[in-house]
Amino acid sequence: MTDTTQTQPPPPEGADETFSAIKPRSPEFRLAADAVRGMRQDLFHDAFAYRPLPRLGPDRPLTRRLSGRARRYAAWAPHATVALGGLLAMTAATASFGGSTVTGLLCGLLAVAPVAMTLVRPVGAFWLSLASTLVVSVLSWPWGDRPWAQCSVISHLVVLTVVAVRTRPRTAAWMWLFTAGYGAFAEALFGIGPYGASDTAPLLVLSALILLVVTVWHIRRDAEEVVSAQQTVTAHERSRRTLLEERTTIARELHDVVAHHMSVVAIQAEAAPYRVENPPPELERAFAVIRENAVAALTELRRVLGVVRAEDYEAPEAPQPTLADLDTLLANVREAGPDVTKVVTGAVRELPQGVELSAYRIVQEALSNTLRHAPGADARVEIGYVLGGLGLRIVNGPVPDPSTVKPSPGAGHGVTGMRERVAMLNGEMTAGPADGGGYEVTVFLPVAAADAGIESDA
């Protein structure tokens, strides 16, 4: 039987630190580490950072009730309150040590300096208050109150209150603990006062009550902000829901009225040639065009109603019409009777999709107005590709037979819609009677050279 001894190599140098770093820590250790980290963040990190005390806003309870000069003065109320606390501390110093003596004057300055510092550097003011309290104790030795002089008590309470209001409850708790630690240290260093009583305990009780009130104020203010934000979100959601309900109602009414009649038109146009024996080809073609236009209108209507019904509606990926589809539109208009001429000037190029679609819709609406208000009149569509954009001119001649013009039941939104499309693209538009009769629509849609180049490259 052979014994085999395995010798493990010693851990590399520095491995103990590495292993201890990755060793899991206990919850108590993590809690203590977080507490130390929070203390360092609240009281030591940027302790003397410049943080001026802001004035009261116009929506605060005090300034909301005032107006004019009184409101401007009331905005400085926090600064005036701090100044009053500093004046009270200085008065206590001069009353205790005498305002005419060097000690009294120096103690008064040491009492008011931390209070004044809370206006610009709140956390640094706390450390200055502890330091000034120690200096006042040294200056008042051996006849003064120990370890807290009256001026130091007032000054430190004002500093604790202002800093607690300007920071957060955790910072106030750390300040209270450091105050208790300083009180114990000062009593061990100087002893208790001449009357055999320590003023550290009353100071800690009073400061704890003040900090508790400030903490409750912080909690209430945070709760009010959360409730206010929630109310704002709720009101916004309610407004959006009301708008969506209104849009759904409009969409339903449009579908019930317009879609129904367009469907009837499409069905009747499809069935009409079968009701006539040996219909002429022109009649069959006319009814086919009517059915195609009705079906196209139904498709567009359903797409628009889908956008109106739901705010998260995704439009179908069908290509939008462009100026390349203008010949089909003009052919449909010619089937209705009028002679439509198209004239293109300039170098034809591909424009941004928004410009192409708007130009197509403007021509479509202008020709629709021609069919509605000037039946039988010839029309002319001019398209000009220029360096700065796209020019459009749609003009129709006078009505051949005015007796054929019937009152239009529309609300006159055609020209308004065209103007909205032009304004959306920062263009220009004029619409009015043409020379020699008829009606004329002139539009210019600006297109930046860079946008046109990008579209061409695409």
Side-chain angles (χ1 to χ4, degrees):
M1 185 175 183
T2 305
D3 293 335
T4 304
T5 303
Q6 297 181 355
T7 305
Q8 296 182 354
E13 184 179 357
D16 293 340
E17 291 79 1
T18 304
F19 294 154
S20 62
I22 63 176
K23 182 180 179 180
R25 303 295 187 180
S26 64
E28 293 80 5
F29 178 86
R30 289 197 299 268
L31 183 62
D34 293 340
V36 173
R37 191 180 302 112
M39 177 191 65
R40 186 169 58 245
Q41 179 70 25
D42 293 339
L43 296 182
F44 295 97
H45 183 68
D46 291 337
F48 290 87
Y50 182 70
R51 300 168 188 171
L53 178 65
R55 292 181 294 175
L56 290 180
D59 57 339
R60 293 301 181 92
L62 179 60
T63 55
R64 193 187 308 133
R65 299 183 178 92
L66 304 175
S67 61
R69 182 177 297 180
R71 173 178 289 185
R72 292 196 298 270
Y73 289 156
W76 295 96
H79 303 76
T81 304
V82 175
L84 182 61
L87 181 61
L88 185 60
M90 178 177 285
T91 303
T94 55
S96 300
F97 303 101
S100 59
T101 63
V102 177
T103 302
L105 182 60
L106 185 57
C107 289
L109 292 177
L110 289 174
V112 76
V115 178
M117 193 174 181
T118 57
L119 298 175
V120 290
R121 307 179 192 276
V123 179
F126 168 74
W127 294 114
L128 180 61
S129 178
L130 291 182
S132 65
T133 301
L134 179 62
V135 175
V136 169
S137 298
V138 173
L139 292 176
S140 62
W141 180 269
W143 61 85
D145 294 333
R146 294 190 299 273
W148 301 89
Q150 289 185 357
C151 59
S152 298
V153 170
I154 298 175
S155 175
H156 196 68
L157 287 177
V158 173
V159 169
L160 284 178
T161 304
V162 176
V163 178
V165 169
R166 298 198 58 193
T167 55
R168 52 183 175 176
R170 189 179 71 178
T171 306
W174 283 118
M175 291 190 304
W176 188 87
L177 290 177
F178 271 90
T179 301
Y182 166 78
F185 165 77
E187 286 187 0
L189 181 63
F190 298 105
I192 59 177
Y195 300 103
S198 171
D199 48 10
T200 300
L203 174 66
L204 291 178
V205 173
L206 182 59
S207 60
L209 292 176
I210 295 176
L211 295 181
L212 179 61
V213 172
V214 174
T215 301
V216 172
W217 175 80
H218 270 293
I219 296 174
R220 179 179 178 182
R221 187 190 62 176
D222 295 342
E224 289 178 350
E225 291 179 355
V226 172
V227 171
S228 178
Q230 188 63 36
Q231 289 177 348
T232 303
V233 173
T234 302
H236 181 64
E237 292 295 333
R238 187 184 300 112
S239 176
R240 293 176 59 185
R241 184 170 62 251
T242 302
L243 178 61
L244 183 59
E245 291 175 355
E246 293 177 356
R247 291 166 58 180
T248 303
T249 302
I250 295 173
R252 183 170 57 249
E253 294 295 330
L254 284 175
H255 183 272
D256 293 343
V257 177
V258 181
H260 170 72
H261 291 292
M262 293 301 296
S263 300
V264 172
V265 170
I267 294 174
Q268 289 183 350
E270 184 177 8
Y274 299 100
R275 297 184 179 181
V276 179
E277 186 177 357
N278 298 323
E282 295 82 2
L283 182 63
E284 292 183 351
R285 186 166 61 255
F287 279 115
V289 171
I290 293 174
R291 182 183 180 279
E292 291 176 359
N293 288 333
V295 172
L298 276 174
T299 303
E300 289 290 326
L301 179 63
R302 290 192 178 97
R303 183 182 64 83
V304 173
L305 291 183
V307 176
V308 174
R309 282 180 183 273
E311 53 187 346
D312 57 349
Y313 173 81
E314 295 184 0
E317 298 181 356
Q320 296 293 326
T322 62
L323 292 177
D325 304 317
L326 204 56
D327 291 336
T328 304
L329 174 64
L330 300 183
N332 290 335
V333 176
R334 294 189 189 102
E335 292 290 342
D339 183 18
V340 183
T341 305
K342 184 180 78 167
V343 178
V344 180
T345 59
V348 179
R349 65 184 186 275
E350 189 174 351
L351 300 176
Q353 183 178 4
V355 176
E356 293 265 355
L357 177 60
S358 296
Y360 180 90
R361 295 302 187 193
I362 290 172
V363 174
Q364 184 183 40
E365 182 60 33
L367 294 178
S368 298
N369 290 340
T370 300
L371 294 175
R372 186 182 304 112
H373 302 290
D378 295 337
R380 179 182 177 89
V381 178
E382 299 178 2
I383 304 174
Y385 291 88
V386 296
L387 183 61
L390 178 70
L392 297 175
R393 181 174 180 267
I394 306 96
V395 58
N396 61 268
V399 183
D401 186 5
S403 61
T404 60
V405 180
K406 299 180 180 180
S408 176
H413 294 301
V415 177
T416 302
M418 288 190 287
R419 292 188 186 278
E420 290 175 350
R421 289 184 180 275
V422 173
M424 182 179 61
L425 297 174
N426 297 323
E428 299 178 0
M429 172 182 166
T430 58
D435 297 337
Y439 200 81
E440 178 180 352
V441 176
T442 305
V443 175
F444 176 75
L445 302 177
V447 179
D451 295 339
I454 292 174
E455 294 291 335
S456 299
D457 294 341

